[in-house]
Amino acid sequence: MTGKLLIVLMGLPARGKSTIAGKIARTIELDDVRVRLFNNGEQRRILPNENSSAPDFFSPHNAEGVALRDQCARINLKKARDFLIDSGKVAIIDASNVSRKRRQLIEETFFDVPVLFIECVNDDEEALEANLERKAFLKEFRHLPAREALDLFARRIGYYESIYEPLDKERNRILVDSFEACILKEHTTDLIPYYDRIRDIITTRIVRNLFLLRHGQTFFNLEDRIGGDSGLTEKGQAQAQALARHFTPWRLPIIFTSNHKRTQQTASPIAEKQENCSFIALPEFNEIDAGICDGMTYQEIKETMPTVTEARRLDKYGYTYPKGEGYASMEKRVHRGLQKVFYLNNIDDNIMIVGHQAVNRMILSYFISRLKEEVPFIYMPQDRYYHIQVDPYKRIFELTNYTDSIG
Ligand code: F6P
């Protein structure tokens, strides 16, 4: 079978395997390559066995569970093989595949096709925890209280860990840090079709639709005061309602906000109009900390601390508020927040972030190339939002009006 390829994902649950699998499938499909995904979890969920979500189903000592999971794996191997024998070019198996034995079976079944294993790891505890919490919302756990779902899921992961053997002997293998979207190790023996493309896809962030919103008008905004934790004015609430109406045609599985009241009050009506929309507040998206100037107006700062105003005027990007932050010192944490967003969001889903003026400028600068000193001046209105689309083919930034929906 020349020119064909089998890609096999490998890793513990909640390590971003499906995101990477989906990203590869979607992009090479756009390259006009016939590709198909085979997911063992989906195969398992259509089994007539009612207990296939219970943790003990995944115990290596549960003979029935082992046999059924083996059966799912074999069904998918057969489907993937048939697909490649037919006119398919790239088959992708999305499953844990944590044991060497399972991977040997795959290599033996596909003796005449190059097999590329991609192992996904993530050592970022916080991101992992947030991802687990998100998994607890999945259909198979939805009937349970969140804490119980998390415990069950953790037990399931424990079983996988007990038999985990990292990639090592496989002929072709890539080790990926799925939180950082970077390749940690790679080794190939065979000629792998589309290798350069796949490598590039793994390390490229793909954003289907990212809606970057600034919170609605606050009482502090009215007085031109910075920082604080003020709530929305009547106009701000009307803006939030208008946003909620505007976004009803879009499916938003998660809305990311900061820890501040104003972003949550803006996001709340939007979430209410969605079905199964969860909220994730990330401290990484909190507004720039103005330190000793927090709660003051720009005029008050100018009058009482002219050196602050002057230093900021000379280098707004590099300047750090006394006992606070600056754009430069905030960059790392905001990008970390974005990494969390990418990690927690399914590749095919739309993303919404409700943030603040300075934070949103940093977020936008991640996607558009701007001189650093220009970042603190990026236009960030409250009556419009940025609609961002990025993939290996295009980059689109559209400043979109939603105020038509204000009733
Ligand atoms: O004025 C609203 C606000 O979000 C403040 O809380 C923050 O300090 C400021 O915008 C950031 O904008 P700039 O860097 O232009 O002062």
Side-chain angles (χ1 to χ4, degrees), residues 65-85:
V66 170
L68 281 171
R69 281 186 295 128
D70 201 52
Q71 191 191 336
C72 295
R74 285 174 195 272
I75 290 174
N76 267 347
L77 287 186
K78 168 140 187 11
K79 283 187 182 168
R81 196 161 167 79
D82 289 348
F83 172 69
L84 290 182
I85 290 171

Side-chain angles (χ1 to χ4, degrees), residues 23 49 65 67 85 138 157 160 187 244 275 327 341 373:
K23 200 156 89 157
N49 185 316
I85 290 171
L138 291 181
I157 293 176
Y160 279 111
H187 172 93
E275 226 173 276
Y327 280 86
V341 167
E373 52 271 34

Side-chain angles (χ1 to χ4, degrees), residues 214-215 218 220-221 224-228 260 262 287-290 293-296 298 301 312 316 321 327 330 355-359 361 375-378 382:
R214 198 177 155 199
H215 58 81
T218 65
F220 262 34
N221 290 150
D224 212 16
R225 283 186 195 284
I226 64 173
H260 297 306
R262 53 197 185 275
E287 182 55 314
I288 193 169
D289 177 357
C293 298
D294 187 77
M296 295 172 78
Y298 290 107
I301 300 171
R312 240 188 150 226
K316 192 172 174 188
Y321 281 108
Y327 280 86
M330 200 176 62
H356 304 262
Q357 176 151 256
V359 157
R361 287 171 175 158
V375 172
F377 300 97
I378 295 176
Q382 278 167 311

